[in-house]
Amino acid sequence: AQKVTQAQTEISVVEKEDVTLDCVYETRDTTYYLFWYKQPPSGELVFLIRRNSFDEQNEISGRYSWNFQKSTSSFNFTITASQVVDSAVYFCALWASFSGAGSYQLTFGKGTKLSVIP
Amino acid sequence: GAVVSQHPSWVICKSGTSVKIECRSLDFQATTMFWYRQFPKQSLMLMATSNEGSKATYEQGVEKDKFLINHASLTLSTLTVTSAHPEDSSFYICSARTVSSDGYTFGSGTRLTVV
């Protein structure tokens, strides 16, 4: 079975603060992908990053950075110098075999609602 | 990049009526599409996987007779909520697997309200 846990339900930060969103995953697969998506109030899902299980290099994209650690099954997301436009719900997702029988699907965490206060 | 167009964006219908939601892949062929449901302040839950030309595969607990999925062509998948009830009110979003860097492309979602 596969599972994604985002323990932080809601986070509030003041603009320009850094914030880290946690994601812990479970899977028996050795080959899998991890994703982060942003969902603004309008509802659409905005793709942020995809990382495969063999690539543990951390990635930075502007104010966004991701820390992938297989040893702790975590794929945390940090926003540096947060802005009001970053306010949204952020989902971590795992693509892996759901039952170990070749049936792959994308499993989402419950999401973390980030509010950036001006 | 790959685009999935989903319509309508929102719909209000009376209890007992049926509603059809369409997802079209605009610049690629989608042999497989996924349908998700998201209740307010909840995560996205996979409802079913639709494959072009064959029957959809439904997740446990999803009524296949209530949520009819048709994937008759490589660019179109539809979800019909039959005899809708207020508890079916939710945000429905489709997705297709792509070869682009993100691996999945999502439609913009449909907010269904059943009154």
Side-chain angles (χ1 to χ4, degrees):
Chain A
Q2 58 192 47
K3 185 179 177 182
V4 177
T5 301
Q6 293 180 258
Q8 305 146 307
T9 306
E10 294 192 39
I11 301 176
S12 289
V13 298
V14 177
E15 200 171 22
K16 297 184 183 177
E17 285 185 347
D18 298 348
V19 59
T20 295
L21 309 183
D22 298 333
C23 173
V24 174
Y25 62 93
E26 293 177 32
T27 179
R28 294 178 187 170
D29 276 2
T30 55
T31 301
Y32 52 89
Y33 289 89
L34 294 161
F35 298 78
W36 274 96
Y37 290 92
K38 174 182 180 180
Q39 187 178 44
S42 54
E44 77 273 19
L45 282 177
V46 178
F47 166 80
L48 296 178
I49 191 172
R50 181 179 81 164
R51 172 68 71 222
N52 76 55
S53 53
F54 298 107
D55 182 1
E56 285 193 75
Q57 272 198 336
N58 292 328
E59 180 157 339
I60 297 175
S61 176
R63 296 184 297 107
Y64 296 168
S65 62
W66 291 269
N67 184 346
F68 177 28
Q69 298 214 345
K70 286 180 77 170
S71 59
T72 56
S73 297
S74 65
F75 187 43
N76 296 338
F77 171 34
T78 297
I79 301 175
T80 304
S82 59
Q83 300 176 2
V84 173
V85 293
D86 296 327
S87 297
V89 179
Y90 290 84
F91 289 98
C92 179
L94 166 69
W95 182 89
S97 173
F98 187 69
S99 62
S103 172
Y104 289 82
Q105 65 174 250
L106 193 60
T107 299
F108 286 84
K110 293 189 175 182
T112 297
K113 182 178 180 181
L114 174 64
S115 298
V116 181
I117 304 164
Chain B
V3 175
V4 171
S5 176
Q6 183 171 348
H7 294 282
S9 299
W10 59 270
V11 56
I12 301 174
C13 70
K14 289 185 177 181
S15 189
T17 61
S18 296
V19 173
K20 180 185 281 189
I21 302 169
E22 290 189 352
C23 271
R24 294 180 183 274
S25 56
L26 296 187
D27 49 3
F28 68 101
Q29 293 182 332
T31 54
T32 303
M33 278 202 179
F34 306 90
W35 287 94
Y36 294 85
R37 178 170 54 187
Q38 184 183 27
F39 290 110
K41 299 185 179 182
Q42 300 285 319
S43 185
L44 283 79
M45 300 301 295
L46 181 66
M47 298 175 64
T49 301
S50 79
N51 297 296
E52 186 266 337
S54 64
K55 290 183 179 180
T57 303
Y58 290 82
E59 296 301 304
Q60 196 171 13
V62 178
E63 300 174 60
K64 61 181 180 181
D65 293 331
K66 181 169 188 59
F67 298 100
L68 301 179
I69 291 174
N70 185 284
H71 195 156
S73 78
L74 288 171
T75 58
L76 175 64
S77 178
T78 61
L79 167 67
T80 301
V81 183
T82 62
S83 187
H85 291 287
E87 57 264 32
D88 298 323
S89 299
S90 187
F91 188 66
Y92 294 86
I93 191 164
C94 64
S95 170
R97 199 173 289 155
T98 66
V99 294
S100 60
S101 61
D102 56 2
Y104 285 88
T105 297
F106 285 84
S108 54
T110 298
R111 197 165 301 279
L112 170 64
T113 303
V114 184
V115 297

